[in-house]
Amino acid sequence: MSIIIPTCDREELLQRALNSLSEQDFDDFEVIIIDDFSISKVDKDSFENFKFPIKIMRNKTREYGAVSRNIGIENSKGEYICFLDDDDEYLPRKLSVLSQYLDENPRVDCVFGNTKRTEGKTKKVKNWMLNNEGQVTSFLAIPCMHTNSTLIRRNVLSFILFNEALGKYQDTQFHADLISKCNVYHLDIDVCRWYVTHALPQITDMGSTNNIKRTLDNVHILTEYLLSNGCLSITNKLITKLNYYRVSLKFIKAPQKISNVGYLEHYIYSFLFKLVYMVK
């Protein structure tokens, strides 16, 4: 099994993530850390106390999550592949329970469990999102999925990767591809912990007009990608378009602490963005 962890200037949180791997009741795995051009290079000597093998790869420039995860996949050796964000944790039975399920169900390509949030309400998979066997049949299950919560057969990643055009929302794209092209199943067991907020900078911070524009640009790229995906049903295309409108509308109210000039700029940008959508 290979566990891929992208990281950038968050060594303290990375240590916590690796500690959670030490607590697993399954030990046949390798860890691949992708240092996304940190100011302070990730030093392998800092992790010499861990008993599992760790490979560290450093990007020559800042590449963000999609490229970093794809590099990890390319350099992995495991039969099963999974991902861990550097600021989150696996719960102790994650690897053993999900790998056993894949071992016992060879037709299943990917399995995921529940994600425990440290703040806010945890989104749960509903029965109507699954068929009678537990296979995911609705895109509305995507908000219940997290890259930390999945385990994937290696052969799947020969035709599904993270879209490197996306600086954000590549996890949504990845899970949408999995659901539309593979047999994805859900197990109702908690497998990971998602730290929603912490003291260090968040990639998804909405505190500036530039970040809001970047978010809207990525929503546009994601929507175009999903709508061009021939595997989407008519229902899922409608869901995708509605979500596109919902997200773009939500960000009108986001920059409350930005200057009036910045707010006006963002408002005009958002209005034009939605106008293009409605014309389509």
Side-chain angles (χ1 to χ4, degrees):
M1 191 180 301
S2 297
I3 304 170
I4 298 167
I5 309 178
T7 189
C8 183
D9 290 315
R10 301 201 290 198
E11 186 171 341
E12 181 178 342
L13 298 180
L14 177 59
Q15 284 278 357
R16 184 181 67 188
L18 293 172
N19 286 337
S20 75
L21 301 184
S22 295
E23 297 171 0
Q24 294 295 303
D25 59 0
F26 179 98
D27 59 7
D28 186 14
F29 62 85
E30 65 170 355
V31 174
I32 303 174
I33 297 173
I34 309 299
D35 177 4
D36 194 17
F37 201 59
S38 298
I39 295 173
S40 299
K41 289 185 179 181
V42 175
D43 184 5
K44 189 171 184 178
D45 293 340
S46 302
F47 313 125
E48 61 183 8
N49 292 331
F50 293 107
K51 297 181 180 179
F52 44 81
I54 298 177
K55 179 190 298 185
I56 298 176
M57 309 190 69
R58 179 174 169 83
N59 295 336
K60 295 181 179 179
T61 59
R62 185 77 186 276
E63 299 287 0
Y64 297 100
V67 173
S68 295
R69 290 191 180 103
N70 286 344
I71 290 172
I73 292 168
E74 184 180 354
N75 289 275
S76 64
K77 298 179 180 178
E79 177 184 354
Y80 301 151
I81 309 293
C82 51
F83 306 93
L84 177 59
D85 290 350
D86 64 355
D87 55 346
D88 297 324
E89 295 177 319
Y90 282 172
L91 297 180
R93 297 181 60 206
K94 194 256 182 168
L95 299 180
S96 62
V97 170
L98 297 190
S99 62
Q100 181 179 353
Y101 187 85
L102 288 184
D103 287 343
E104 295 174 352
N105 297 275
R107 63 179 294 272
V108 174
D109 299 308
C110 169
V111 61
F112 72 98
N114 302 327
T115 301
K116 295 184 68 173
R117 293 170 57 108
T118 57
E119 300 175 29
K121 186 177 180 181
T122 298
K123 294 182 179 180
K124 293 281 190 177
V125 175
K126 308 297 183 183
N127 288 336
W128 56 265
M129 300 175 182
L130 313 170
N131 65 17
N132 293 334
E133 297 179 351
Q135 182 177 0
V136 178
T137 55
S138 171
F139 268 34
L140 292 177
I142 290 177
C144 309
M145 300 176 70
H146 196 289
T147 46
N148 296 332
S149 70
T150 57
L151 188 64
I152 308 163
R153 294 190 189 277
R154 181 177 193 82
N155 67 294
V156 169
L157 300 174
S158 65
F159 59 91
I160 293 179
L161 291 170
F162 292 90
N163 186 335
E164 296 183 0
L166 288 165
K168 299 177 68 173
Y169 304 124
Q170 63 267 15
D171 50 345
T172 300
Q173 164 263 316
F174 186 72
H175 293 143
D177 275 345
L178 285 173
I179 291 172
S180 63
K181 300 176 182 178
C182 302
N183 296 320
V184 178
Y185 281 69
H186 172 250
L187 282 183
D188 189 14
I189 181 173
D190 295 338
V191 297
C192 60
R193 181 176 292 109
W194 174 19
Y195 287 85
V196 180
T197 60
H198 48 70
L200 295 179
Q202 296 274 10
I203 294 174
T204 52
D205 173 50
M206 296 301 298
S208 72
T209 302
N210 285 338
N211 279 352
I212 293 167
K213 286 183 176 181
R214 176 171 168 262
T215 295
L216 291 173
D217 286 340
N218 278 274
V219 170
H220 177 69
I221 294 170
L222 173 63
T223 302
E224 291 298 308
Y225 175 85
L226 293 177
L227 293 177
S228 66
N229 185 331
C231 296
L232 290 187
S233 66
I234 294 175
T235 301
N236 283 331
K237 283 186 177 181
L238 176 60
I239 290 170
T240 300
K241 283 195 173 185
L242 289 175
N243 190 58
Y244 177 31
Y245 181 77
R246 179 189 65 81
V247 172
S248 58
L249 182 64
K250 179 178 72 172
F251 288 133
I252 282 185
K253 299 180 180 179
Q256 296 175 354
K257 297 183 180 180
I258 298 176
S259 68
N260 291 336
V261 174
Y263 184 87
L264 179 61
E265 178 188 6
H266 167 65
Y267 187 91
I268 294 172
Y269 184 89
S270 300
F271 176 78
L272 293 174
F273 189 72
K274 289 192 292 296
L275 182 62
V276 171
Y277 159 74
M278 288 186 285
V279 170
K280 288 184 177 181

